[in-house]
Structures are given as structure tokens and as C-alpha cells.
Amino acid sequence: MELFKNMADFTAAADGGYLIDVMQKYKQAKFIYQCHKSNILQFLTTEPQSSEDIAEKAGVISERLVVVLDALTSIGLVEKENDKYSLSAISEAYLFCESPFYIGDLIELNMSDEEKCGGEMVNSWLHGNSVSREHDPQTTFSQSFVRAMAQGVLIDNSVRKTAELLCAHPCFHTAKNLLDVGGGHGLFAIAIKKLKPNISATVFDLPQNEAVAKEYGVRCGEEVAFFPGNFYIDELPPNQDVVLCFDILHPVAVSQKESVFAKAYRALNEGGHLFYKLWFLNEERTAPSRASLMAVKCKIGNGNSHVITLNEAKEMLLGQGFGIEDILSLGDGESQIIVAVKK
């Protein structure tokens, strides 16, 4: 079919930007509905207040409220300055119940019965209830999840962009072995191997996802090796010149992140490079919106999780003995790549 003729180059015949935008707006709409059901915006005013003061008035847990308020700030419904929060103009006009332009009933009308069933999630969590559970990679990272991740990086064309950006780094002139930790679908390793055919590329992921990596290898005309394992438990295969850690470690505690970085350090040869790609939060924890919304989702699902800022990530890597060499950007205003070297 014409649509699939460029699979080997990781590009489709149509731009998927519109669909990405629709899906992101849908996530934001569900979050707005959940916050609407919690009534949390009714405890804010146009005058800045601390999260502690707002939490006391609302009868919720302050530490949890901060995560929600930061996410609301990321989508323009709350303003944050000097760690104090206030209603944005659009929230004051349309989401504050005393406004003559309040749209609470319109929000309810536009939610399905299924979405309404989950509408109390944020409110319940803010009041101390918990659906937290230990992060279980075997359950979370199913083949369907990994295919969804593959589809996400194909539709935004980030596979090709990322591979070209990385392969311009001098370390790829001499690198022989590359390990893609948590690489699942294998697309980044495949794309790099297409550009650097002499490199030995291996995906390290759960055994259940080997079939997905092989499937994409066949589709793209460039298969890579697969090493089964759980990076939270198992050591990584040694003698690596390049280690990729792309879009992983969101839903776990800082200590678990540090453990994986320590394993990456041990797996690398002297002078080897780690490339860590993520939607890093800014220091205010209010941008990019994808990361702020992810922080809420992760905290509700696992109270120990912590979505990190760029500086927090750098500190973790420095703590494991890495040197920070560079920060790369994909130009999407969201993803950044820390380039770290084993001293």
C-alpha cells in the first residue's frame, strides 16, 4: 500500500500532527473534568494563595494538591508565582461557579458515562484515598503498551529525528556496541543501526516484548538483537559503548531511577556514553504539560513515583559517577536528551 511505502524510513505518507493534538486535548479534557468534580478551583481566587492555605480551605492533602495545581498551571487554568496559586482569567470567567459565564453543566454534558465514572479519581486522591500500587512492569508494559509507544514515536516522526541527532555525536564514529534499555519496540535502535550499520545494537526489555521488537525489525528491514530482562532487577549486559534510556523511569521512586543509572554506568566501557531522553519538568514543575499531567497520573497510581526535572536528572547521573557532556533538544519544545559520559 502507498501509505506504508516509507516504513523503512520511519515516515508515513500523511502528517499525524493533527491526531497527536486531538489525543493530547482529550487527556486535558478528562483532567479538567476530574478537577471540576473535585471543586478545587472554587477554593482559588485571583489573589495568590499558598497551596497550604488552599488545601486547608478545601480539606485536602497539601502535598497532593501541589501536583494537581502544577498540572492545572501547565494547561493555563491556574497561574503560579513564587509558589503561590491563583485563578487564570479563563478559569475565573468559565470555571468559577459564581461567574455568569460558568460552564459546569456544559462540561458534564460533554463527558460520557464511562468518563463520569472516573470523574472522582482526583477528588478521592486529594482527600487521602489511594489507588496506589507497586509498579509492576510485567503488567504495565504489555505488548499492546509497547506497540502504543511505537505508534507514538512514529506518528510524531521522532524516531528519525532522534537517530539523526544522536548519530551526529562523535562517539558514534567509534562505537561498536549499543544497548537500548527498555527499548521495547526497538525502533530507536533500528533507526541508529540503519545510519550506523557497523554498530551492534541490542534492545534490553521484558521477554514478552521480544516479539514486538522483531515485528518492527521486519517491517523496517533492519533487525536488532534482543536481550530479555527487567532493568529494575537484572544487571545490564556489559561492554557497551552507548546506552540509551529513552522515556523510561517515570512511574518509580528516585532510588529506583538511581539504581538503573548505576547499572547503566557499570555496563558502559570507560568513556562510553549514556543518552537519557525524557519530557523533563521545568523547575516550577509546570511545563511541559505532558510531563505535568504525567506527574498527576503517576502519583495517583504509585505514591512513590516522581517525575523529574532536568536538574534532578543531572544530579542523579552525577551521583552515579557520570559527567554531563551536553543537553540536546528534539525541537518539539518538550523532549530533551542528557548526554552523559562514563569518566
Side-chain angles (χ1 to χ4, degrees):
M1 291 176 63
E2 181 72 13
L3 280 175
F4 304 120
K5 71 174 184 177
N6 293 322
M7 187 65 194
D9 293 326
F10 311 100
T11 55
D15 184 354
Y18 167 74
L19 293 174
I20 295 172
D21 187 57
V22 168
M23 287 184 279
Q24 291 306 314
K25 295 299 184 187
Y26 175 66
K27 288 181 183 178
Q28 292 179 19
K30 289 203 299 183
F31 179 61
I32 291 169
Y33 177 68
Q34 291 167 350
C35 292
H36 159 72
K37 295 299 289 183
S38 76
N39 284 321
I40 203 64
L41 289 172
Q42 309 313 315
F43 297 96
L44 277 76
T45 68
T46 54
E47 293 297 319
Q49 303 175 77
S50 69
S51 59
E52 291 83 3
D53 288 343
I54 300 168
E56 184 177 357
K57 289 192 295 184
V60 300
I61 298 172
S62 177
E63 293 79 9
R64 295 184 176 186
L65 178 61
V66 168
V67 183
V68 173
L69 292 175
D70 286 342
L72 286 167
T73 303
S74 78
I75 57 175
L77 299 186
V78 168
E79 294 182 355
K80 180 180 183 181
E81 186 174 359
N82 298 324
D83 290 328
K84 292 190 174 183
Y85 300 89
S86 59
L87 288 174
S88 67
I90 193 169
S91 289
E92 182 188 16
Y94 298 109
L95 300 177
F96 187 59
C97 64
E98 294 183 10
S99 168
F101 299 100
Y102 179 62
I103 62 165
D105 295 295
L106 181 61
I107 291 173
E108 291 284 348
L109 180 66
N110 279 280
M111 291 295 115
S112 68
D113 290 341
E114 182 180 359
E115 287 157 345
K116 287 179 180 179
C117 286
E120 294 293 336
M121 185 188 309
V122 167
N123 187 48
S124 178
W125 181 69
L126 286 173
H127 281 87
N129 296 315
S130 178
V131 295
S132 290
R133 55 196 177 275
E134 281 298 312
H135 174 58
D136 180 10
Q138 294 285 348
T139 302
T140 302
F141 302 125
S142 64
Q143 289 190 3
S144 176
F145 179 94
V146 171
R147 285 195 182 93
M149 295 301 98
Q151 291 157 14
V153 296
L154 286 169
I155 196 172
D156 69 5
N157 200 29
S158 62
V159 175
R160 185 169 181 172
K161 290 178 186 175
T162 303
E164 290 174 348
L165 184 64
L166 262 60
C167 287
H169 190 279
C171 75
F172 278 90
H173 296 331
T174 56
K176 296 179 180 177
N177 297 319
L178 175 147
L179 186 70
D180 187 359
V181 179
H185 45 70
L187 285 170
F188 290 107
I190 291 167
I192 289 171
K193 188 163 177 61
K194 277 181 168 289
L195 294 172
K196 298 289 182 180
N198 292 328
I199 204 165
S200 175
T202 302
V203 173
F204 183 95
D205 211 311
L206 298 169
Q208 65 207 42
N209 293 321
E210 182 173 5
V212 182
K214 288 189 177 299
E215 173 188 325
Y216 278 104
V218 171
R219 287 188 184 183
C220 299
E222 187 69 71
E223 295 188 58
V224 295
F226 190 94
F227 194 108
N230 181 340
F231 53 72
Y232 292 121
I233 299 172
D234 304 316
E235 283 294 322
L236 303 177
N239 195 31
Q240 306 299 326
D241 300 304
V242 174
V243 169
L244 309 181
C245 289
F246 284 2
D247 306 311
I248 62 172
L249 309 179
H250 270 310
V252 296
V254 168
S255 59
Q256 288 177 279
K257 292 176 172 65
E258 291 173 335
S259 173
V260 175
F261 291 143
K263 291 174 183 179
Y265 188 88
R266 291 193 290 271
L268 281 165
N269 295 322
E270 202 73 22
H273 284 76
L274 170 72
F275 293 85
Y276 181 36
K277 180 171 83 70
L278 204 65
W279 303 326
F280 295 106
L281 280 166
N282 65 2
E283 291 305 304
E284 289 288 302
R285 304 186 67 80
T286 58
S289 61
R290 286 189 186 187
S292 292
L293 291 170
M294 175 68 76
V296 177
K297 181 180 179 180
C298 288
K299 275 293 185 185
I300 291 176
N302 178 359
N304 294 320
S305 70
H306 182 68
V307 177
I308 56 177
T309 67
L310 181 65
N311 283 334
E312 286 174 331
K314 288 162 67 176
E315 287 299 316
M316 285 185 207
L317 292 169
L318 289 169
Q320 301 307 317
F322 284 101
I324 305 301
E325 190 176 90
D326 202 358
I327 309 295
L328 306 177
S329 173
L330 287 177
D332 59 2
E334 296 182 330
S335 297
Q336 292 176 291
I337 304 172
I338 300 176
V339 183
V341 61
K342 180 174 180 175
K343 296 178 179 178

